[in-house]
Amino acid sequence: MDHSEQFLSPNALEEESGRHTRSRSFKGRPRPKEHEEHEFRPRRNSMPSHPHPRRGASPAPVTDPTEGEESSLCRVRSFKTTSKGGIVNRGDSVKRKAQKDHIHVHPTNSVPQDAEARRAPGVRHASSSDIECKYQNEENENEVFTVVVLGPAGVGKTLLTTQFMTSEYIGTSSDGDGGDRTVTVQLDGKENTIRFIDPSRDGEDVSEDDIDAYIVVFSVNDRETFEMAVEILFQIRHELCSEKAVILVANKIDIVRKRVISSDEARAAANQYDSKYAETSAALNHHVDELLVGVLSQIRLKHDPGAVEEHEAHKTHKEHRKGSFRIAKGILTKLFRKHSKKDKSCENLYEL
C-alpha cells in the first residue's frame, strides 16, 4: 500500500464526505416541503374558556345542587304479600317525584335533517307527546288516597300515623307537631300514596266523597274510648251512610294486665257495623305494618267493582242463611265456647 494514499487532498475529502452521509449533521439535512408549508401555524388556544376572577374581586355565588331537592323527594315503603296471607317488609327507599318540569323535551321539528337521515330504518323514536303520555300514565297509576283517622284523645292516633311513615322504630318520640302525614306504599309492585288526616289535630274538613277509608282507634285499657269508637262506627254507617272501608283498631295491646276490652267484644262490634278489626301497639311498632298494608288493600278492593259485587252477593247469601243457623250456632257456641272462622273474617284485611 502506498503511503501517499493515507493523505488525501481537499477534493478527495469532499468526495469522501459526500459518500459517507452518516457523518453529516442532522440540522444540515434539507427539510421536507410539507414541513416548510406548515412551519408558521397559528398557536392553539390552551387557556381555559372561563377566565379566572381578578384578585380582590368577590367570588361568584356557589349554588348547592341539592338545594330545593328535598321537596321533590318522597319515601317509598315496599311490601310484598305471601301466599299464607302475611306480608314481607322489603324496606324503605327514597326516590324523586316524577315531574314533567324536570325534563327538557326538544320539539320534533327541531331535529336536523342529517340526524333524521342517520336514524335506523324501522325504529320509532319517542316524541314529546309520547313522553307526556308516559308521565300522565305514571300519575294515573300512582293514585292518592285519603284516610281519616278518628278516635278520642289519648288513644295513640298521632303515634300510629307517625309510625306509618317509616319502617324505623320511633317508640314514643312522636311530638304530634302536625306535620305532613303522607306516605307512598309499594304493594306487590304497584305504588299508591296515602294521606292520613286527623280532623281533631289538623282542623281540616274533608268531604265524604274525598275519603277512601276510615280508621277508628280506641284503647284496650279504657272502656270509655271503646264506647266512643262504637258510636263513631254508628255515625259512619247509619248517619253518613258510608260504604267506604272502615277499620276498627284496638291500640295499646302491650298493656296486657290493664286490658278491659277483650278481642271478642271488639270483634263483635266490628262485625255489627260491617268493619274490619285489627290490634296494634304503636309504642312497640307491633302490627303497624300489617295495618298499613291492610288499609291499602281494603281501599283497592273497594275500588274494584268485581270484588265489591262478589262481596255483596256473599253478604246477601249470608243474611239469607243467618236465620236458619242462628239456633244451631248458639248451641255450638255454648258447647265449644269459641267463635268460628267466619266470626274472625273481619280480621282478614286482604278481603272484603
Side-chain angles (χ1 to χ4, degrees):
M1 181 177 181
D2 190 1
H3 294 282
S4 62
E5 296 179 356
Q6 298 178 357
F7 303 96
L8 299 178
S9 61
N11 296 333
L13 288 173
E14 292 179 0
E15 295 177 359
E16 188 70 18
S17 62
R19 289 194 300 269
H20 299 282
T21 58
R22 294 176 57 186
S23 62
R24 303 176 66 180
S25 173
F26 182 82
K27 296 182 179 180
R29 293 184 181 181
R31 293 185 177 182
K33 294 183 179 181
E34 58 181 359
H35 289 278
E36 293 179 358
E37 295 177 358
H38 303 283
E39 184 175 2
F40 301 101
R41 291 181 299 176
R43 182 175 180 180
R44 295 181 178 179
N45 184 16
S46 60
M47 300 298 292
S49 58
H50 300 283
H52 294 282
R54 293 178 298 175
R55 181 177 298 179
S58 59
V62 180
T63 58
D64 187 4
T66 61
E67 185 178 358
E69 291 185 358
E70 184 178 357
S71 59
S72 63
L73 300 178
C74 66
R75 179 186 294 268
V76 180
R77 303 198 60 190
S78 301
F79 298 94
K80 181 181 179 181
T81 57
T82 63
S83 58
K84 295 183 179 180
I87 64 168
V88 177
N89 188 339
R90 306 182 68 178
D92 300 357
S93 60
V94 178
K95 76 167 188 177
R96 189 182 302 275
K97 296 179 182 178
Q99 295 182 3
K100 293 185 288 185
D101 297 340
H102 290 173
I103 293 185
H104 178 68
V105 182
H106 296 278
T108 3
N109 53 7
S110 65
V111 180
Q113 295 181 358
D114 54 348
E116 292 285 349
R118 289 195 299 268
R119 288 182 174 179
V123 179
R124 181 179 179 273
H125 294 264
S127 61
S128 59
S129 59
D130 295 336
I131 297 178
E132 290 181 359
C133 292
K134 177 183 177 182
Y135 275 95
Q136 290 177 0
N137 293 335
E138 290 181 356
E139 293 177 358
N140 293 335
E141 289 180 359
N142 187 0
E143 297 180 81
V144 180
F145 300 133
T146 301
V147 178
V148 175
V149 183
L150 302 173
V155 296
K157 301 189 303 295
T158 303
L159 182 58
L160 186 63
T161 53
T162 305
Q163 189 63 70
F164 282 152
M165 302 299 111
T166 177
S167 297
E168 300 177 0
Y169 173 68
I170 62 175
T172 57
S173 60
S174 175
D175 53 357
D177 55 354
D180 185 28
R181 295 292 184 265
T182 303
V183 63
T184 300
V185 180
Q186 184 185 70
L187 178 60
D188 296 332
K190 183 180 179 181
E191 289 187 6
N192 291 109
T193 301
I194 306 177
R195 180 188 177 209
F196 295 93
I197 298 177
D198 183 0
S200 62
R201 183 196 64 187
D202 303 330
E204 181 177 353
D205 294 332
V206 187
S207 174
E208 165 67 17
D209 298 333
D210 299 331
I211 299 174
D212 297 285
Y214 293 90
I215 296 179
V216 183
V217 188
F218 71 93
S219 178
V220 295
N221 63 337
D222 190 345
R223 175 164 293 276
E224 184 179 356
T225 62
F226 172 71
E227 294 175 354
M228 295 178 65
V230 173
E231 179 64 24
I232 294 174
L233 294 179
F234 176 82
Q235 294 177 2
I236 294 174
R237 292 305 189 199
H238 296 285
E239 294 184 6
L240 294 178
C241 298
S242 175
E243 296 294 334
K244 305 295 178 63
V246 180
I247 302 177
L248 179 64
V249 178
N251 194 28
K252 301 184 181 182
I253 61 173
D254 54 294
I255 311 177
V256 180
R257 295 183 178 181
K258 296 183 179 180
R259 180 165 185 166
V260 295
I261 307 298
S262 64
S263 300
D264 295 339
E265 186 178 2
R267 193 183 299 113
N271 284 325
Q272 181 180 356
Y273 295 101
D274 192 20
S275 306
K276 293 295 182 178
Y277 175 70
E279 295 186 350
T280 62
S281 174
L284 299 180
N285 193 17
H286 183 62
H287 289 171
V288 176
D289 290 346
E290 288 79 359
L291 177 59
L292 176 62
V293 175
V295 170
L296 179 56
S297 300
Q298 287 294 304
I299 296 175
R300 288 182 179 180
L301 291 172
K302 286 290 185 179
H303 286 209
D304 185 6
V308 174
E309 184 179 356
E310 182 181 355
H311 174 67
E312 292 297 331
H314 176 71
K315 184 178 177 181
T316 304
H317 181 68
K318 182 179 179 181
E319 291 292 336
H320 179 70
R321 300 180 59 185
K322 185 176 181 180
S324 302
F325 290 94
R326 182 175 299 174
I327 300 177
K329 182 180 178 182
I331 296 175
L332 293 175
T333 303
K334 292 180 181 179
L335 290 175
F336 298 101
R337 295 294 181 183
K338 63 181 180 180
H339 292 269
S340 62
K341 293 183 178 180
K342 290 185 179 180
D343 292 334
K344 293 186 178 181
S345 61
C346 62
E347 297 184 68
N348 188 354
L349 303 181
Y350 310 115
E351 65 178 19
L352 289 177

